[in-house]
Amino acid sequence: MVKRTTILSVLILLAVWLVFMWPALTLFPAQRMYVVEGDFTNQFYPFRHFTASEIYRFRPPLWNPYIFGGHPFQADPQTAVFYPLALLTAVAFGAGGLPVRALQLEMAGHYLLALLFAYAYFRLTTRREIAAVGGAICFGLSGFLTSYPAQQLPMLETAIWLPAVLLMLEVGIRRGATFRWAGLAAVPIALALLAGHSQTMLFIAYLAAFYAIYRLVEARLGIGRSLQFLLTWGLLSVGLSAIQLLPTFEFIGESTRQQLSYAEAAHGYQLASLVGLLSPAWLGEKALYLGGPALLAIASIAGRRRPPWFWLGVLLFSILLSLGGQGPIYPVLYSLAPGFALFKDQERAMSLAAFAGSALTAQWLAGLWDSKERLARKLAGPILLLLAVAGLLALVPSFAMATAGANPTPAQADILLAGALVTLTALIVVALWRWPAGAPVAATLVVAILFIDLMRVNFGNNLTYSHRNIVSQFRPIAEQLAGFPEPYRVFSEPATFFPPNYGSVLRLPVLTGDSPIQLSRVNDLLSDHSAGWKHWQIMNVKFHLSPGMELAGTEPEFASDGISLRRVVDSLPRVWAVRDYRLAGSPAEARRLIAEPSFHPGNYVVLEERPAGLDLVQPGPRPHTELVSSGPLRTVVKTSSNAPGLLVVSENYYPGWRAWMDGKSAPIYRADYVAMALFLPPGEHLFTLLYLPISLLAGLAISAISLAVIVALMVRHRKDE
């Protein structure tokens, strides 16, 4: 039976959430605020819109033909195709086209989950309601969680699962580390991975593994049982996640992440940025801020006789990791720890610092009931923190001189405010020493101060009253092209003019896109302006979209409110056939061959592998091709030829594509650096191309088996009872 105090705590957190998220939740349009235009609106909303539209077309959203000239959509982890809460949003709101507000509500809902998951974990570990509420507020409203993760939606939706992961591990270890609990503990890990932010998932996985080992050692369950629990938990976590892991690993092998340099990966905070721990006004960096009372709690608990070394260690480690190459931690992890070389922007490690700081705050609040601790030890933390505040006040002007554009005045004002909050909290501690029975009141006052401080800093982050309606702005172009009689693609420039992922919303196939992970060869040609026209021809670009550029080789097609659409004169169809080819010995040579002035993709194709059956090239007219049907996952082509040749398909080459000629499997060759080609024998033939990655099928099978194992463990446990 649920206790009244627990119900009250949940209601308090619900009220906190409603107050904090009210601008996004309100039903009154005049008061409503929207997420500021950025990655949320321009990258992730189109992803989710495409997922919803494909679901309502009864197609799995595996390949997106509307960005990058074709993109392995589900394999890109940030699309979160199989994340259950994203699917719920798509099904519930996507019937007529997913509205932006639906995704905004999903984002807001994850803040509530962050509060509730953190509360549940802290309630279990501290056994104090107000301590659990305070820790949950510290995490759910922390500077990190309410800053750029709101724009980077997968980052937010992954990070909030950390307390749920730790909660299930904690419960499982307390219940004896059985197979059943190992299986249940795998579920939140899989959900965090499906939410889509691989780097945050990497942080969670490492922390969860160390936490499990630490708690198993503390619990003294024996080496055999501990290893059994860890191995079962790890295997089932990976198994449940396989539906996303295997396609993603395949995608990474073809992506720009294979080319990530150490300099790119090692980016992190500058040392001077750590002033943001005390001053959210410093450089406008709110992600480091946990709140004045939380800083006092951390400083105070570090001075206890038996401080919580695990969470203090996590806090220090993650802050040092957030410095990237500027600190001592990342260079070691880059060389030794699997996964750390694949991701940039190490400042995101502050997700761990935010939770560690919240855990320390919750434990400190619970410790207010301990009246045996001497006053001198209780005040040591506040005194040290006040000394740090005074020192920073003196040093901030020097930091500002060394940091271009920094203004010390707002930071100094914030640091003074932090000092005032520390002083106020210290006075509460002193009063508690004189009145030990007032621990509940003291803890409640501290939590209230923490809530007010975090509201002061983070309320309204990433929100604005006005927002651009990109769909309405570009709909006339989409409607103009809707009746075009053959497949086409559009190239848009400059990059800031048309948010390219909106091709997925307007069903406008564009050559560009917006995703942190891209097919490396597509990225090569998009960044190589000398290959521009050749890339356009290879990839079936028939239109150029701009604010009014007059580009040679194009002619006017349509104009609307400062938007110019021009037709490309010398373009190629979606499929065509050639009789001749050039063989490149390497990808670099293939790129060089297609850049040669004499190369025209309609005359011959550049291959990187000799096609079986085409030893002799016979001159003559192009073989006839007819595009029977073309969709995101399936293309059917009829051909007729009196001599051997090659069928060229203007679609990005990717291992997930399969081909059949007259019902028999046919090999696909990489053509013209990025496209696809198939051997074309003489006669009439029917070619079918289908996007169905083996990695996805294997991942689906492994995930289904893992889920069945967990269900079987649950059923067996009930029978044993």
Side-chain angles (χ1 to χ4, degrees):
M1 185 174 179
V2 180
K3 295 181 179 179
R4 291 181 181 178
T5 52
T6 299
I7 295 173
L8 178 60
S9 297
V10 171
L11 290 175
I12 289 171
L13 291 174
L14 181 61
V16 164
W17 174 71
L18 285 171
V19 170
F20 187 77
M21 296 305 305
W22 180 252
L25 296 173
T26 178
L27 299 177
F28 304 105
Q31 299 176 12
R32 188 175 302 154
M33 297 181 75
Y34 303 87
V35 177
V36 175
E37 184 174 346
D39 288 337
F40 180 92
T41 56
N42 295 352
Q43 181 179 339
F44 298 109
Y45 167 67
F47 281 172
R48 296 298 186 81
H49 189 284
F50 177 74
T51 297
S53 67
E54 290 299 283
I55 287 172
Y56 275 94
R57 286 178 171 83
F58 302 102
R59 284 194 302 250
L62 305 181
W63 181 266
N64 187 341
Y66 300 109
I67 57 173
F68 294 117
H71 185 65
F73 187 74
Q74 182 272 327
D76 186 339
Q78 296 207 29
T79 60
V81 166
F82 293 124
Y83 180 48
L85 297 182
L87 287 173
L88 180 62
T89 301
V91 172
F93 300 103
L98 188 73
V100 176
R101 178 157 170 76
L103 194 59
Q104 187 164 296
L105 292 173
E106 179 186 314
M107 178 267 289
H110 277 74
Y111 281 104
L112 179 59
L113 288 178
L115 290 166
L116 296 178
F117 288 160
Y119 162 77
Y121 172 77
F122 295 140
R123 177 65 182 81
L124 179 66
T125 54
T126 67
R127 299 183 180 180
R128 295 285 185 185
E129 291 289 345
I130 193 62
V133 170
I137 290 173
C138 189
F139 178 64
L141 305 189
S142 64
F144 175 81
L145 216 60
T146 59
S147 58
Y148 56 83
Q151 285 283 349
Q152 298 282 329
L153 187 62
M155 189 187 301
L156 169 68
E157 297 191 345
T158 302
I160 64 103
W161 286 99
L162 172 57
V165 169
L166 300 180
L167 173 67
M168 293 306 296
L169 285 172
E170 183 68 30
V171 173
I173 292 168
R174 291 188 183 200
R175 298 290 181 88
T178 62
F179 283 117
R180 174 196 179 222
W181 282 104
L184 289 174
V187 173
I189 277 277
L191 290 170
L193 186 137
L194 293 175
H197 200 263
S198 303
Q199 185 180 26
T200 302
M201 183 63 235
L202 182 75
F203 295 150
I204 290 175
Y206 272 106
L207 175 59
F210 282 111
Y211 182 84
I213 293 168
Y214 167 74
R215 287 292 295 116
L216 285 166
V217 170
E218 272 197 337
R220 298 181 180 180
L221 293 175
I223 294 177
R225 174 163 288 197
S226 297
L227 289 176
Q228 167 188 293
F229 179 81
L230 288 171
L231 187 61
T232 305
W233 170 62
L235 287 175
L236 288 177
S237 296
V238 172
L240 279 178
S241 310
I243 193 172
Q244 185 64 57
L245 279 176
L246 294 187
T248 295
F249 285 150
E250 182 177 61
F251 180 35
I252 288 174
E254 300 280 332
S255 77
T256 49
R257 289 304 164 100
Q258 291 294 89
Q259 306 166 2
L260 195 65
S261 68
Y262 175 78
E264 291 175 295
H267 182 272
Y269 285 125
Q270 296 293 318
L271 189 60
S273 299
L274 297 185
V275 177
L277 290 165
L278 275 174
S279 169
W282 175 251
L283 303 176
E285 181 55 75
K286 296 181 178 182
L288 293 159
Y289 194 62
L290 289 171
L295 293 176
L296 180 137
I298 294 165
S300 298
I301 204 169
R304 285 186 178 176
R305 291 189 188 90
R306 295 180 180 177
W309 290 115
F310 181 84
W311 288 116
L312 285 170
V314 172
L315 179 67
L316 179 61
F317 181 90
S318 52
I319 290 174
L320 292 176
L321 176 57
S322 74
L323 299 174
Q326 303 290 319
I329 300 294
Y330 183 72
V332 177
L333 295 180
Y334 180 87
S335 301
L336 300 178
F340 278 89
L342 293 174
F343 304 104
K344 55 185 179 179
D345 298 329
Q346 303 307 318
E347 60 267 23
R348 294 165 180 171
M350 285 304 298
S351 60
L352 301 185
F355 189 79
S358 303
L360 292 168
T361 300
Q363 291 191 26
W364 178 78
L365 286 167
L368 292 179
W369 274 258
D370 182 9
S371 59
K372 297 178 181 178
E373 193 173 6
R374 297 174 61 183
L375 180 62
R377 189 176 290 276
K378 285 187 174 183
L379 291 180
I383 290 170
L384 288 173
L385 191 57
L386 285 170
L387 290 174
V389 168
L392 274 176
L393 280 171
L395 291 173
V396 159
S398 301
F399 290 153
M401 290 180 64
T403 308
N407 184 354
T409 305
Q412 287 178 311
D414 257 355
I415 293 170
L416 281 172
L417 181 57
L421 292 173
V422 170
T423 303
L424 179 59
T425 312
L427 290 174
I428 293 172
V429 172
V430 172
L432 185 60
W433 178 69
R434 298 287 297 183
W435 182 40
V441 176
T444 302
L445 287 174
V446 172
V447 171
I449 295 170
L450 176 64
F451 170 67
I452 292 169
D453 189 29
L454 291 175
M455 281 286 292
R456 170 188 70 88
V457 172
N458 299 321
F459 183 73
N461 277 359
N462 293 291
L463 297 177
T464 181
Y465 282 106
S466 61
H467 68 291
R468 178 166 67 124
N469 193 328
I470 297 169
V471 173
S472 296
Q473 182 182 359
F474 288 94
R475 181 175 283 125
I477 295 294
E479 291 174 349
Q480 174 70 18
L481 290 175
F484 195 71
E486 59 178 303
Y488 65 89
R489 289 194 178 94
V490 176
F491 185 81
S492 173
E493 59 181 338
T496 55
F497 173 61
F498 173 66
N501 283 359
Y502 270 81
S504 304
V505 179
L506 293 164
R507 307 191 72 77
L508 196 68
V510 297
L511 193 58
T512 52
D514 182 6
S515 179
I517 311 178
Q518 305 170 21
L519 291 174
S520 59
R521 296 199 180 205
V522 173
N523 183 70
D524 288 345
L525 293 190
L526 286 173
S527 58
D528 182 2
H529 298 292
S530 66
W533 269 98
K534 302 295 176 65
H535 192 194
W536 287 15
Q537 291 173 320
I538 293 166
M539 294 307 295
N540 184 223
V541 172
K542 293 185 178 294
F543 297 97
H544 180 254
L545 183 64
S546 77
M549 299 171 62
E550 294 189 7
L551 192 69
T554 65
E555 56 187 25
E557 175 75 15
F558 180 73
S560 171
D561 294 332
I563 302 172
S564 172
L565 184 72
R566 299 178 69 88
R567 186 196 292 259
V568 176
V569 176
D570 187 12
S571 63
L572 287 170
R574 183 60 57 91
V575 295
W576 68 94
V578 296
R579 292 182 181 272
D580 199 2
Y581 71 94
R582 303 288 184 272
L583 190 63
S586 66
E589 186 181 358
R591 188 171 170 183
R592 180 184 61 79
L593 288 173
I594 67 171
E596 289 183 352
S598 60
F599 171 71
H600 189 290
N603 296 331
Y604 63 87
V605 63
V606 174
L607 302 177
E608 297 170 42
E609 179 184 355
R610 189 178 298 279
L614 190 61
D615 297 324
L616 297 175
V617 176
Q618 300 180 22
R622 289 181 189 170
H624 173 72
T625 62
E626 178 189 346
L627 185 63
V628 178
S629 65
S630 178
L633 304 177
R634 187 171 180 267
T635 298
V636 179
V637 185
K638 283 183 178 180
T639 65
S640 177
S641 177
N642 60 4
L646 287 157
L647 173 66
V648 183
V649 181
S650 179
E651 191 78 60
N652 281 325
Y653 178 93
Y654 191 74
W657 283 100
R658 300 282 176 267
W660 291 265
M661 183 184 70
D662 302 328
K664 296 181 179 179
S665 179
I668 301 176
Y669 302 99
R670 198 185 291 266
D672 297 334
Y673 195 69
V674 290
M676 297 188 288
L678 297 95
F679 171 62
L680 176 62
E684 295 185 353
H685 301 283
L686 184 70
F687 288 87
T688 301
L689 284 90
L690 183 67
Y691 184 73
L692 189 62
I694 299 300
S695 59
L696 175 63
L697 297 177
L700 177 61
I702 294 170
S703 292
I705 292 169
S706 301
L707 183 59
V709 169
I710 293 173
V711 172
L713 290 173
M714 295 292 295
V715 171
R716 178 184 174 186
H717 173 77
R718 287 197 172 187
K719 287 183 178 179
D720 292 343
E721 288 181 340

